[in-house]
Amino acid sequence: RPPAQLALLSVSSSCPTGSQPTRTSTMARESIYNLVPEQYVEQPKPPMYRSQHDPSAPVTGSTFGTHGTTQLHGAGIVKKRGAATFGPSNKTNPNPQTYLKRGAPLELPAPTAFKYRDASRKPSVPKVEDRPVMGIQTAKNFITANAVEAILQVPQGLGETEPDYLAKADYGKVPEYLGQVKEEIRRENDMIDAYVMEMGRAQGAVEEPGEELIEMSAAERSELVRALKRKWDAVNAKYQKMAHTVKLDTVGKVKRKEGMEKELVQIEADIERLERPGPVYVSS
């Protein structure tokens, strides 16, 4: 059944016998408008109220805190302001001898023409006799001018187009700097091989002048590496059996442990030397 019928059935089953469910309860329980999410509009926060009066000023003219032994600072004190009632304090008193006598003429300034103080006033309304300028004509061809302006105008709203990398001249080619790097690596390897061979020959000539250095093949090197790794596993198994021994009370235990550690370090160095790229020479 549709959700609306299910809601009506649930409402009718919950109502007592002889009573009918109201439309208000049905609409409150289910409505299609409830599926539309309401957009939350955050109300702007009003600015914080700031009083225009000085909060640190003492209380003046107040009877609060004037009774008792404890009195507030500034309570019951009236702050007098200068020239609040009787005018400015620097006012000069009138001379009693120069009073206005009977029949004396009243001295007033000479009348002048009225002028507005603001110079930036709007222009006056034109008079009835003023006629607007009419009959002005121009020889400009607006159709041609608009056409020329549209042709010369730079198009707006066109962004920069992305470059087509497939149309480049060196597309699909190996960069030249990679060839230079490979050449430098090859020269360095040749120099290292020549130096190693020269050093090996020099050491062999000192020890046994009749011996000759032969480069070890890759198969021999891999077999030797595997053999060294098996030996390292065997020595490490023996070392792990006595690694838990904390109390080395005899000289033999100390020497046995130090000898295994030195042997493991030597085997690791030999494996690293054989796995290093480059030729390996042995004496015949």
Side-chain angles (χ1 to χ4, degrees):
R1 297 180 181 180
Q5 296 181 5
L6 293 176
L8 289 174
L9 289 175
S10 61
V11 173
S12 59
S13 61
S14 60
C15 293
T17 306
S19 62
Q20 297 295 332
T22 59
R23 184 178 180 182
T24 305
S25 61
T26 305
M27 293 299 293
R29 288 177 177 271
E30 182 165 349
S31 175
I32 193 173
Y33 294 101
N34 296 335
L35 303 177
V36 181
E38 297 182 1
Q39 185 177 4
Y40 174 72
V41 179
E42 184 178 359
Q43 298 296 334
K45 187 176 181 181
M48 182 181 294
Y49 173 75
R50 300 289 184 180
S51 178
Q52 60 181 352
H53 304 285
D54 187 9
S56 61
V59 182
T60 58
S62 175
T63 59
F64 179 76
T66 57
H67 303 283
T69 57
T70 304
Q71 295 186 1
L72 299 178
H73 174 68
I77 300 175
V78 179
K79 185 178 179 181
K80 296 182 179 180
R81 296 177 299 168
T85 306
F86 300 100
S89 59
N90 56 355
K91 182 178 64 174
T92 58
N93 296 327
N95 188 4
Q97 302 297 332
T98 58
Y99 57 91
L100 183 61
K101 298 180 180 181
R102 182 180 180 181
L106 184 62
E107 296 181 0
L108 297 175
T112 56
F114 176 78
K115 294 182 180 179
Y116 289 99
R117 295 183 180 180
D118 190 7
S120 59
R121 292 179 58 84
K122 295 182 179 180
S124 59
V125 180
K127 298 180 180 180
V128 181
E129 297 82 8
D130 297 341
R131 299 297 181 188
V133 180
M134 297 183 295
I136 300 177
Q137 297 180 359
T138 178
K140 180 179 179 180
N141 189 351
F142 290 94
I143 298 177
T144 306
N146 293 340
V148 172
E149 184 179 358
I151 293 172
L152 300 179
Q153 187 178 7
V154 179
Q156 299 178 0
L158 299 178
E160 297 181 358
T161 58
E162 297 183 358
D164 188 8
Y165 296 101
L166 300 179
K168 295 179 65 175
D170 55 350
Y171 175 75
K173 300 180 181 179
V174 180
E176 296 181 358
Y177 74 93
L178 290 181
Q180 299 175 2
V181 172
K182 290 182 179 179
E183 183 65 22
E184 292 179 0
I185 294 174
R186 187 187 63 79
R187 289 199 302 266
E188 291 178 359
N189 292 335
D190 295 344
M191 188 181 302
I192 293 172
D193 295 343
Y195 176 76
V196 172
M197 187 179 297
E198 186 68 23
M199 292 297 295
R201 290 177 180 176
Q203 293 177 1
V206 173
E207 295 178 358
E208 296 182 5
E211 293 183 358
E212 184 180 358
L213 297 178
I214 301 176
E215 183 178 355
M216 184 182 295
S217 62
E220 293 177 353
R221 292 177 62 178
S222 60
E223 182 63 28
L224 184 58
V225 168
R226 287 194 294 270
L228 288 174
K229 290 182 178 180
R230 288 195 297 269
K231 184 176 181 182
W232 186 90
D233 292 337
V235 177
N236 185 45
K238 295 180 181 179
Y239 178 76
Q240 293 296 333
K241 291 180 180 180
M242 64 174 304
H244 64 279
T245 304
V246 180
K247 185 177 181 181
L248 302 176
D249 50 356
T250 61
V251 181
K253 292 181 180 180
V254 176
K255 289 186 177 181
R256 194 179 302 110
K257 184 176 182 182
E258 292 179 354
M260 290 183 182
E261 291 176 353
K262 291 181 181 179
E263 189 175 2
L264 290 174
V265 172
Q266 183 63 35
I267 294 174
E268 291 175 359
D270 295 340
I271 293 174
E272 184 180 0
R273 187 179 296 106
L274 289 174
E275 290 180 347
R276 189 181 304 168
V280 179
Y281 299 93
V282 294
S283 58
S284 58

